[in-house]
Amino acid sequence: MDTPSIRSVLADGEVGARVTIEGWLRSARHSKGLSFLDVTDGSSMAGLQVVAPGELDNYDPEVRGLGTGAAVRVRGELVESPGKGQRVELRAQELEVVGDAADDYPLQKKRHSFEYLRTIAHLRPRTNTLAAVFRVRNVAARAIHRFFQERGFVWLHTPILTGADAEGAGELFEIEGGEAFFGRPTRLTVSGQLEAEIGALALRNVYAFGPTFRAENSNTSRHLAEFWMVEPEMAFCDLRGDTELAEAFLREVLTAILEECGEDMAFFDERIEKGVVASLEHIVKTPFEHMTYTEAVQRLEQSGEDFEHLVSWGADLQSEHERWLTETLVQKPLVVTDYPSAIKAFYMYANDDGRTVRAMDVLVPRIGEIVGGSQREHRHDVLAEKMKAQGLDLEEYGWYLELRRFGSVPHAGFGLGFERLVQFATGMANIRDVIPFPRVPGYAEF
Amino acid sequence: MDTPSIRSVLADGEVGARVTIEGWLRSARHSKGLSFLDVTDGSSMAGLQVVAPGELDNYDPEVRGLGTGAAVRVRGELVESPGKGQRVELRAQELEVVGDAADDYPLQKKRHSFEYLRTIAHLRPRTNTLAAVFRVRNVAARAIHRFFQERGFVWLHTPILTGADAEGAGELFEIEGGEAFFGRPTRLTVSGQLEAEIGALALRNVYAFGPTFRAENSNTSRHLAEFWMVEPEMAFCDLRGDTELAEAFLREVLTAILEECGEDMAFFDERIEKGVVASLEHIVKTPFEHMTYTEAVQRLEQSGEDFEHLVSWGADLQSEHERWLTETLVQKPLVVTDYPSAIKAFYMYANDDGRTVRAMDVLVPRIGEIVGGSQREHRHDVLAEKMKAQGLDLEEYGWYLELRRFGSVPHAGFGLGFERLVQFATGMANIRDVIPFPRVPGYAEF
């Protein structure tokens, strides 16, 4: 706690200054009577080069025997670095080995496959790539809070355990003995939205940002059983206001990543996904395009493309359609609005045309849908009718309907999968590599 | 989204300005040809007084018939308020009833018991007290993130679903079919600490801030089955550094609440817990006292107090002991360190005396323990011995032990129950009233 971070030494350390740093060896090169140690403490992609001379009391055999992974505390003087790409290096005057690394330390200085790293989730945050991912993740999360807090939104902790009916949101994790404990079958939440509506109808603007769950047995690079969701909800707000917020939100969070994670983003651009930085910069600078679902379907039908899935009004857009719209047709982020009611949830506001609802999806190049939102149905009788038509238990949803009897107002919100965002920002291919402890079928260690 | 918050109108609205506001009626008083409406949007304790003259097109019967809970949009001119304690009021030129409130709206302008309000959790955020609690909760959460982010800590999302063994942390919620899905029995986490250690040993300083769970059937005013925990973890840090962080943390978060929630805190001081503001101010200004467990026991033995529970070296301190120490003996926050190993968890660093560990609890007047932390045992063989002695499965904890074989360093952290903090800050008697959707035995609606 008392020593400066390596990030700050690299940025601000003055030549001639005496400093003490602590960290782990990313690599060690020992030549005759001189050792070069690349020391990191996880605060930055670049490590600090430590030059340890043979004159150190413990040079032989201790320092000379140091290998990757060992923890050290080094006191010395910052000197100009002759090396390329580093301003200063540390000439050691004292070097304490705080913790050695056993010879079978798995993270030697070579590339490991991400699959392999997933099997050592307790060590992988020490790799360049995963440490960079978790730093970007942190900056994204911080930017999300900042975005909402600056606008007066209240962070509302919606419940994880819930006895509420599941509005057909897919497979749920059930709690063993939940009924005995809570008096009703209890599941892990799939979304904080309905509870966020409670908050919005009291505090006006709120957001949930917490873990959500799906028990789907999907062994893909895009699914997690446990993931974090961002879900703002605004009272006195319609679909237009909702869309404006989503655009400003994406722009601000991606800007924060570009500005605050320059070093890490350069790494991702070079090693993980060429062009990822340019693609984020493009999104940040470009006004989003808007189009109704009906127009999108027309464009797709006229495209002459040979899609795998048929395009027709009333069917949900598939990933290939979404990507064609945003990547080929408009070549920028695209907000698609007013989807057919039949393919959207019961709580979305019914348009006057009788067949569409005020839903919106934000599509971005490379991944397609990144945000999904809607204006909520705030008219009591319309909502009750829709719920009946979908066979929902009105009693079970009594509280949700009651919100529409007491000072009901137009309100709207959206949901964003946080890991999807981090995956998009970093270009990481597998969503399991953007969350510290992925939960997927067959895997929940730790 | 486009209209200003009532908080900002009350603070910055200039006399003569034309503004539009939106919100809900906290009360309505109709006299002949003139209505006085107290309008809130949840952004502040004070509402904006709207004066609606009989000349409004829809005055009779619409405006004249408005009651508590109705949602309105009002356009008008800010005028100086003749009323006490309010600078401006809004003279309505147009008043749109956005959503009326049915006659059976339960929140009429009178005091309701907190028990009753818990039965209408979908409406209680509209009451003065609960809205104030959730604003304070938001400011506390924001201050927590700010505290760690400013110090370079990475917010690490530790898992909710976990297959890790439970280190005897009490009753757990098990996932139905967890073994079939994840390949091992899966539970809801009781703490992110062990995973945070993984993070700290890669990124140096991290913190977890997320939901944790206890399946204890405790129907008290101090227990929740689902609650949020704050758990920082620091590498290259000992118990002293840990304690320093905890003190700075409490000081900064409580200062933020005092400075940013003045209006709400004045309300709590007047209506909920007399003296709560002074007690927070005292903590913020006072250097914390320090004492070993051994000394604390001596003081308690010499106190002459007639405690319900016997005091003797080796027994855990009870709440009555903690409160006597902090409230009567030192009359300020007190950090008690170096507890007997037998009453603390296996992962705490063993002192050389062979019978105590580097644990610390922070005790504060009014509630006793608010923070519990420790330096962790980072010596592989010492840890393995302790785990064996406690009958833990070393294989199950293989990853945790392995952290001690590869660049192990002294590290430390603490845990703070977020709801306990909010309860302490607001003076609310029941912990169920400081979380939007309390999960307790017999109750998990929504």
Side-chain angles (χ1 to χ4, degrees), chain A residues 32-251:
Chain A
K32 286 213 176 70
L34 200 62
S35 294
F36 298 91
L37 314 174
D38 182 14
V39 182
T40 180
D41 63 0
S43 61
S44 57
M45 173 61 67
L48 179 64
Q49 167 142 296
V50 169
V51 184
E55 292 82 56
L56 292 173
D57 289 345
N58 58 342
Y59 186 76
D60 201 355
E62 206 175 34
V63 174
R64 215 174 64 85
L66 283 174
T68 301
V72 296
R73 178 176 298 116
V74 187
R75 198 174 56 75
E77 185 182 337
L78 288 179
V79 297
E80 253 179 78
S81 174
K84 224 186 91 191
Q86 54 195 16
R87 198 175 53 82
V88 290
E89 60 186 35
L90 182 62
R91 180 108 194 143
Q93 288 155 340
E94 268 176 53
L95 193 156
E96 179 190 347
V97 180
V98 181
D100 212 341
D103 288 343
D104 55 340
Y105 186 53
L107 296 174
Q108 297 305 324
K109 197 176 166 66
K110 60 164 186 158
R111 290 257 201 150
H112 299 280
S113 76
F114 291 122
E115 273 100 332
Y116 169 67
L117 291 178
R118 272 172 235 139
T119 68
I120 48 168
H122 61 303
L123 299 174
R124 69 173 189 164
R126 304 180 182 191
T127 63
N128 289 347
T129 308
L130 273 291
V133 166
F134 299 143
R135 283 189 298 265
V136 169
R137 189 179 163 101
N138 178 63
V139 167
R142 180 171 70 201
I144 287 167
H145 278 304
R146 188 169 54 210
F147 176 83
F148 290 118
Q149 292 291 336
E150 283 177 356
R151 284 163 178 77
F153 283 61
V154 168
W155 185 17
L156 191 81
H157 294 96
T158 53
I160 309 304
L161 293 167
T162 172
D165 199 19
E167 21 128 0
E171 297 292 316
L172 304 168
F173 288 111
E174 299 264 352
I175 300 299
E176 236 171 71
E179 188 149 13
F181 193 98
F182 291 112
R184 48 167 71 205
T186 312
R187 302 126 189 161
L188 299 186
T189 185
V190 295
S191 159
Q193 179 205 313
L194 302 193
E195 291 90 354
E197 289 185 51
I198 290 173
L201 292 170
L203 302 166
R204 184 158 184 175
N205 294 325
V206 302
Y207 65 111
F209 184 7
T212 53
F213 303 84
R214 294 285 186 289
E216 276 153 45
N217 207 328
S218 299
N219 235 320
T220 79
S221 62
R222 287 168 54 93
H223 291 89
L224 292 167
E226 172 180 328
F227 55 99
W228 283 63
M229 285 261 280
V230 182
E231 299 179 287
E233 188 74 29
M234 296 154 283
F236 298 102
C237 181
D238 58 15
L239 190 66
R240 188 184 58 80
D242 196 34
T243 304
E244 283 171 4
L245 189 85
E247 293 186 30
F249 171 85
L250 285 172
R251 205 169 279 130

Side-chain angles (χ1 to χ4, degrees), chain A residues 259-404:
Chain A
E259 288 179 356
E260 298 167 39
C261 304
E263 189 192 20
D264 291 325
M265 287 307 300
F267 173 88
F268 289 118
D269 203 67
E270 192 187 320
R271 303 282 189 94
I272 301 295
E273 169 92 21
K274 301 251 179 272
V276 65
V277 167
S279 90
L280 300 189
E281 284 168 345
H282 174 67
I283 289 178
V284 162
K285 283 184 303 208
T286 314
F288 290 20
E289 191 82 29
H290 295 79
M291 187 179 291
T292 64
Y293 165 90
T294 301
E295 185 182 350
V297 167
Q298 285 167 358
R299 297 299 194 96
L300 286 160
E301 284 171 343
Q302 296 158 1
S303 70
E305 294 282 327
D306 186 21
F307 294 116
E308 195 185 327
H309 299 88
L310 194 70
V311 179
S312 76
W313 201 101
D316 215 348
L317 299 182
Q318 300 297 317
S319 182
E320 57 176 338
H321 307 140
E322 293 175 340
R323 294 193 57 172
W324 181 84
L325 290 166
T326 174
E327 290 171 8
T328 309
L329 181 66
V330 303
Q331 298 176 21
K332 62 179 76 158
L334 171 65
V335 185
V336 179
T337 60
D338 302 289
Y339 283 78
S341 20
I343 58 170
K344 290 289 182 183
F346 72 90
Y347 51 69
M348 298 189 182
Y349 186 96
N351 281 318
D352 291 343
D353 64 12
R355 56 182 209 151
T356 62
V357 289
R358 289 192 188 160
M360 64 96 171
D361 281 354
V362 180
L363 315 179
V364 291
R366 267 197 302 121
I367 62 162
E369 182 198 331
I370 192 163
V371 163
S374 68
Q375 182 175 333
R376 321 307 187 185
E377 185 56 77
H378 72 284
R379 297 164 298 184
H380 179 277
D381 296 352
V382 179
L383 181 61
E385 278 311 311
K386 284 183 74 169
M387 289 169 69
K388 268 187 236 165
Q390 296 202 17
L392 294 169
D393 181 350
L394 296 202
E395 187 122 357
E396 185 68 33
Y397 283 95
W399 62 270
Y400 191 70
L401 273 168
E402 205 163 86
L403 294 175
R404 277 70 179 168

